[in-house]
Structure formats: C-alpha cells, structure tokens
Amino acid sequence: MADLRVEINKLKLDNPVLTASGTFGYGHEFSDYIDLNRLGGYLVKGTTLHHREGNPYPRMAETPSGMLNAVGLQNKGVDYFIENIYPICSQYSSKAIVNVSGSCIDDYVACTEKIAALDKIEAIELNISCPNVKQGGMAFGTCPKSAEDVVAAVRKVYPKTLIVKLSPNVTDITEIARAAEAAGADSVSLINTLLGMAVNAETRKPILSTVTGGLSGAAVKPIALRMVWQTYKSVKIPVIGLGGIMNATDAIEFLLAGATAIQIGTANFIDPQITVKVVDGINEYLDRQGCKSVNEIIGGLIL
Amino acid sequence: MIKKNVLDMIVIDNQELSNNYFLLKLAPVDSSQSLPYAEAGQFVEIRVDKSPTTFLRRPISINFIDFDNNELWLLIQKIGDGTKALSQLKISDTLNIIYPLGNSFGLPEAQKSKLVLVGGGVGVAPMLYLGKVLFEKGYTPDFLLGFRSSSDIVLMDEFKKYGNVHITTEDGSFGEKGYVTNHSLLNEPIQKIFTCGPKPMMMAVAKYAKENSIECEVSLENTMACGFGVCLCCVEKTTEGHVCVCSDGPIFNIEKLTWQI
C-alpha cells in the first residue's frame, strides 16, 4: 500500500483522485454507488452568484468515443448551495471543492466571497473556461490579460487554495497558465471541454440547441495529456490534469505527464464507480512499480 | 428512494419479435442475487461498449420484472448502433446495467373508473410492468396500444394476463383503425391515463386528458448521458424550470409540463 497523499498548495488530499465539475453533481448523487470518503476530493458543479436555467434542450450529442454538451452552467446559485448542499458536503471527509463560475468579474468575486466563508470548503476552482455561456466563462480564459484580471480580483478575497480551470480552446495554453500563476493562482486544472459541433444530416440541423458545445470523453485524452505536459513544464504551481480519463492507466499517464492530481469527468456517466476503481488501480500500479509514494511518479515521464 | 445498483447481468433470452422489436431477458450473473425491487415506470442504463459510437450507456425502460424467475425484461426497438448491438446479443452473453433509475408512475389509492395505459410502438414497454403492478393491487387496467400495423403488435398474450387489451393500427390491419386517441375506449369514464410513446402521440393523449379533466402522466425519453441526475443534459422545461428527465422523471404529470396543448 503506497502513500497516495498529495498536496495542492495548502489543500491536502488523501489521494490524487478528484472528480470533474459538472459530472459529479453535488457528490451525494453517487452515494448509492461508492463510498465518497475514498476520493481525494470532488468538485461540485459550476456555481454562480445567481440561479441559472442553462441552455435549452437538446444539450447533448454522443460523438465517437466522446460527447458534446451544452448545459450552460445550470445551477440554483451560490445561496442555494450554502443552504442546501453545504450541510450534506460537510458530512463527508472527502474534500469538497466548489467550482465558481461567472459572467463578470464582480460576480466571480461576490460568489467567491460567499464560498470563502464556509469552513469546510478548503479550495475553489475558478472556471474561466466554460464554452457554453454567451458572456464570460471561456472569454476570460482565452486571453492572458482577462485571465490575469479575474484571477487577481478573486485572489484578493480568497485566502484558501485557488485553482484556476483552463480552456483548451486557445493557441497556447501555457500562456494562460502563466498569467493565472502570475495573478496568484495556487494551481491550474486543465483541460475544460474542447469546442465542437454535431450535425444531423437527415434533418440538416445541428444536434445541440446552441449549435456548438464542449467535447469530452476518451476522444480528448491525447490533447489533454499534451497540454498537461506542456503546462507542467511551464509553471511552478501544481497542475491538476483532466480530459478523457476513463481508467487507472489513463490517470497514471496524466500523473507521469506532470499532474499532481487528476479529475475524472465523463467516465462517471458510464461507470459511476470508476473513481474508486482508479484509486485502487493507482495503488496497484505503485506497488507493482515499487514506489512508496505517488509523488515519485508525478512528472516522472522518461524522455 | 430505491437504491441504485450497478449489476452484471447475463442474457437468458433474446427474441426477435418483429422487424423492429426484440425482447431481451436478463438475470443477475450471480444467480444467488435476487433482482432488487423496481417501481413501474423506472428504467435501466445499459452499457454497450465495443464500439466508439456507443460510448454512453443506453437508457431502456423496464418492460417487466419476473421476480419468480429473477428475470428483467427489456422490450427494445432497433434504432441506432447501441440498440442494434443489443439485438445481436446471444444467450449467456453478459452486460452491465444500472438499475433501477428514475421516478415511477403514481398509483391511485383506489380504482373508481377506468385506468387506461396508453402505449405507442416501443412505448408499450413500461405499460406491461405497470399493468402487472396495478393488477396485483386488485385493479383492472385497460391497455390501449397503438401500432403502425398488425405485424408490429408485440406481447399481446402478456398484456392479456393483467387487464383488458385494446389495439389500434394505423393501417387498420388489426383492432380499430387510426391512432390511439381515436379509440372508442376513450368515450368511457376514465379515472387516470398513463402514457408512453412517440411525443406527438403523448401530446395528443395529454391534450385529450386535459380537455376532459382526466389525470394524466407521461413517460419522457429525452437524450441523456448519465441517467441519474448529474450531467443535466436531459432537461425538460416544466412549471418549476428545467428538471432532469432521468431523475425528476421520466414520469411527469401533464400539469407540470409546459407543452403547448
């Protein structure tokens, strides 16, 4: 049994397995399937200052080895989270991390201030990369200056661990990662979904109500892995890797490419028990490789 | 809330019923395991891997549960790659399901007049198990089943075990000619209508129910990724805003929907 503990700045995790925001609800939805306490942590779904209805149906298209979604940050707002969900999250020892989304800097800041007041939430993930909202979201994450501005503003009001989630829909993701780091981010998580599109040839219509949406699933893994590796070499803060992780081997590949922790996203839809299987699989791998700690393989790619 | 289970199942039988439909009978791989209880109207999510175009699970409504023989029946229409792959399964093949998912049909406290179970095409599937549940409560359900043609009619003998069966075919090759909403049964006093089928059919049934002040529940099948309320893809617009068909549904009272009927 290897030591699986990792640290993302002040945030101490029992193991490097997290879940990706928007694929794991508020966590408790998985309590029939797994013991939530076995995860390093879980990212609760994108939370905004105000209630959001999200985009119209249809919001999903299955694509080869993946799926497109256009949910559009549907959520009941931060106050709902604090009143109704936070008490449930507090029952688990596994770390709940809130994904904070917004459409203007003031909203990000106001939402973050409310989350900062919650004792048992030790970290937030700032979502500057949602491709499915018209204003804000990804717009902040595709230009170094706007990324820096929003991260700096949130940093001022958030003393705990600040993770910034990056968009892959850019020419050079390391440029945005460095901007986030410069503005005070404690960690970057990548990748959010890749902008994509699906068409029904018979009806000649787009499948998604929003025409375009975010691609996730096994199909995006090679791109995510490449971006994690590039970013790992480019910043000093810990990198959290995600994008198409479907099993323990995929997760280990991300750790080798430099991720200190990983997030499992779309795979939760297909196998709701995948997270604990990945924890077990990483442990077996480390034993087989004769490693005493998971930290021995982080960034351990042999060139 | 009924606990959701991830189960490995073995194919007991896979029977082609017509050009379009097949009946897949499954039992737990671990034969010592009894199928947990499921309510009428719930569904399963089946994993169909082996192909890049069947990345996600397939949501399929529960057609019937034979607790005596520990069998789960799924009536499936061949539509895309996933359902076609399922139609090819052989006896003793195994597959993984999440069971049971979603809410259920609301059962009346007592039967006062007719309880009409309206199914169209593959939408007849959940009506068999619902009929059985109603029958076991001592009620007599009326099945009103619509098909394109006599060659599409499935499971007649099974439906007859639990209630009265009324058939419509669009071409008039069996039963009354036309759509379910044209059937003479609808002229009689009705306490409640339960319906599942193509959306235009359900909207016509819902319109009839609304105009005649009959309580009506519909079973929806919006495209979904997870099946248990976390992906937020299968939303239906309701009087309470967007809700998930998979976890808040699939059964909705028509009063809650925003359909223009």
Side-chain angles (χ1 to χ4, degrees):
Chain A
M1 180 86 191
D3 184 353
L4 294 180
R5 290 174 298 174
V6 295
E7 291 178 14
I8 307 288
N9 190 261
K10 292 188 282 290
L11 179 71
K12 292 177 168 49
L13 303 174
D14 286 343
N15 66 63
V17 178
L18 307 169
T19 62
S21 176
T23 67
F24 207 67
Y26 288 121
H28 64 87
E29 293 91 336
F30 284 77
S31 58
D32 276 358
Y33 306 121
I34 56 165
D35 175 3
L36 223 56
N37 293 326
R38 291 207 55 215
L39 308 183
Y42 56 98
L43 279 286
V44 303
K45 71 172 129 190
T47 300
T48 50
L49 183 60
H50 302 294
H51 170 100
R52 282 183 62 94
E53 267 297 285
N55 292 322
Y57 179 85
R59 294 175 169 183
M60 196 276 285
E62 188 177 34
T63 57
S65 299
M67 59 174 276
L68 290 162
N69 89 80
V71 172
L73 295 175
Q74 179 182 324
N75 79 102
K76 291 180 177 168
V78 68
D79 291 333
Y80 175 87
F81 172 80
I82 293 167
E83 281 162 39
N84 298 284
I85 306 299
Y86 178 61
I88 302 172
C89 295
S90 306
Q91 294 166 12
Y92 298 103
S93 62
S94 185
K95 304 276 167 81
I97 300 168
V98 178
N99 177 284
V100 173
S101 300
S103 50
C104 66
I105 289 181
D106 289 348
D107 285 2
Y108 276 110
V109 169
C111 188
T112 300
E113 283 177 322
K114 288 177 182 244
I115 300 293
L118 306 174
D119 286 346
K120 291 195 174 167
I121 305 292
E122 298 176 33
I124 62 166
E125 180 182 68
L126 198 65
N127 182 4
I128 58 166
S129 47
C130 178
N132 292 325
V133 293
K134 279 186 184 144
Q135 291 175 326
M138 193 172 87
F140 284 102
T142 50
C143 151
K145 176 72 173 74
S146 57
E148 202 167 330
D149 288 348
V150 67
V151 174
V154 169
R155 179 77 284 178
K156 274 185 198 155
V157 300
Y158 196 72
K160 297 186 253 185
T161 302
L162 172 60
I163 302 161
V164 178
K165 187 168 184 178
L166 304 181
S167 171
N169 302 304
V170 293
T171 309
D172 179 4
I173 198 166
T174 68
E175 194 180 45
I176 314 293
R178 285 192 300 273
E181 183 180 39
D186 297 314
S187 171
V188 284
S189 56
L190 58 139
I191 59 173
N192 204 321
T193 55
L194 284 144
L195 206 53
M197 180 170 162
V199 172
N200 181 330
E202 293 305 315
T203 61
R204 305 186 182 190
K205 289 180 178 172
I207 293 177
L208 301 174
S209 68
T210 49
V211 185
T212 62
L215 180 67
S216 65
V220 311
K221 194 189 81 170
I223 300 167
L225 205 51
R226 182 263 293 181
M227 290 187 169
V228 164
W229 168 244
Q230 289 176 325
T231 304
Y232 169 69
K233 289 189 298 178
S234 181
V235 295
K236 293 186 180 66
I237 52 177
V239 175
I240 299 172
L242 70 150
I245 296 177
M246 303 302 293
N247 52 49
T249 306
D250 291 343
I252 291 159
E253 291 168 17
F254 276 81
L255 297 171
L256 290 167
T260 299
I262 56 96
Q263 294 180 6
I264 296 171
T266 304
N268 288 305
F269 302 155
I270 297 159
D271 181 357
Q273 299 169 323
I274 188 65
T275 44
V276 294
K277 290 177 187 170
V278 170
V279 175
D280 291 340
I282 292 172
N283 199 31
E284 283 163 23
Y285 171 86
L286 294 172
D287 284 348
R288 196 168 71 240
Q289 294 270 332
C291 301
K292 289 193 172 58
S293 163
V294 69
N295 289 288
E296 291 172 40
I297 67 162
I298 293 167
L301 194 65
I302 297 169
L303 295 172
Chain B
M1 287 283 281
I2 296 182
K3 185 180 187 290
K4 297 182 274 284
N5 303 274
V6 182
L7 300 174
D8 287 321
M9 305 290 280
I10 187 163
V11 177
I12 300 297
D13 192 22
N14 195 4
Q15 208 181 324
E16 189 163 293
L17 300 181
S18 72
N19 286 340
N20 289 322
Y21 306 125
F22 60 100
L23 181 65
L24 187 61
K25 294 186 179 179
L26 307 171
V29 166
D30 174 3
S31 56
S32 67
Q33 181 174 27
S34 299
L35 271 174
Y37 188 73
E39 291 178 333
Q42 292 194 284
F43 66 100
V44 302
E45 277 273 18
I46 306 181
R47 190 158 177 176
V48 193
D49 26 32
K50 300 187 178 81
S51 153
T53 59
T54 56
F55 183 66
L56 300 167
R57 287 178 185 258
R58 271 24 188 191
I60 305 286
S61 62
I62 293 171
N63 172 229
F64 192 75
I65 307 169
D66 180 347
F67 289 105
D68 295 334
N69 293 305
N70 210 26
E71 285 178 10
L72 171 69
W73 297 10
L74 304 170
L75 176 66
I76 304 173
Q77 183 175 13
K78 280 179 255 178
I79 295 177
D81 291 352
T83 49
K84 281 174 191 154
L86 291 172
S87 74
Q88 300 299 315
L89 288 170
K90 304 273 183 291
I91 290 170
S92 298
D93 284 348
T94 58
L95 75 175
N96 183 270
I97 66 167
I98 309 178
Y99 161 103
L101 296 167
N103 70 349
S104 55
F105 287 110
L107 308 178
E109 295 281 326
Q111 182 168 15
K112 294 180 186 121
S113 57
K114 287 198 180 299
L115 300 172
V116 181
L117 283 57
V118 185
V122 76
V124 305
M127 297 307 161
L128 182 61
Y129 186 53
L130 173 62
K132 182 205 180 202
V133 169
L134 292 170
F135 175 79
E136 286 174 348
K137 283 178 79 77
Y139 305 164
T140 307
D142 280 90
F143 298 102
L144 173 53
L145 311 175
F147 298 96
R148 290 246 165 85
S149 168
S150 61
S151 61
D152 288 329
I153 298 173
V154 290
L155 299 173
M156 270 284 273
D157 293 340
E158 295 298 329
F159 283 109
K160 281 179 181 167
K161 290 178 186 171
Y162 307 107
N164 307 312
V165 182
H166 315 267
I167 304 281
T168 63
T169 51
E170 288 175 34
D171 63 3
S173 54
F174 194 93
E176 292 190 17
K177 183 175 178 173
Y179 294 116
V180 287
T181 40
N182 306 129
H183 198 280
S184 53
L185 176 72
L186 297 184
N187 298 324
E188 298 182 37
I190 295 171
Q191 179 179 350
K192 182 166 179 176
I193 295 175
F194 308 85
T195 184
C196 180
K199 197 164 178 186
M201 183 208 86
M202 288 197 292
M203 288 181 82
V205 171
K207 185 168 190 277
Y208 175 85
K210 195 176 174 187
E211 285 168 358
N212 293 278
S213 305
I214 300 167
E215 188 185 359
C216 179
E217 286 181 339
V218 299
S219 175
L220 304 186
E221 56 161 6
N222 295 3
T223 312
M224 55 186 71
C226 70
F228 43 89
V230 299
C231 73
L232 308 186
C233 291
C234 64
V235 290
E236 179 71 18
K237 201 170 181 186
T238 69
T239 52
E240 294 161 18
H242 278 141
V243 302
C244 289
V245 164
C246 69
S247 54
D248 295 297
I251 313 302
F252 290 91
N253 190 300
I254 58 167
E255 297 293 322
K256 207 179 162 186
L257 299 176
T258 55
W259 289 358
Q260 300 300 309
I261 51 173

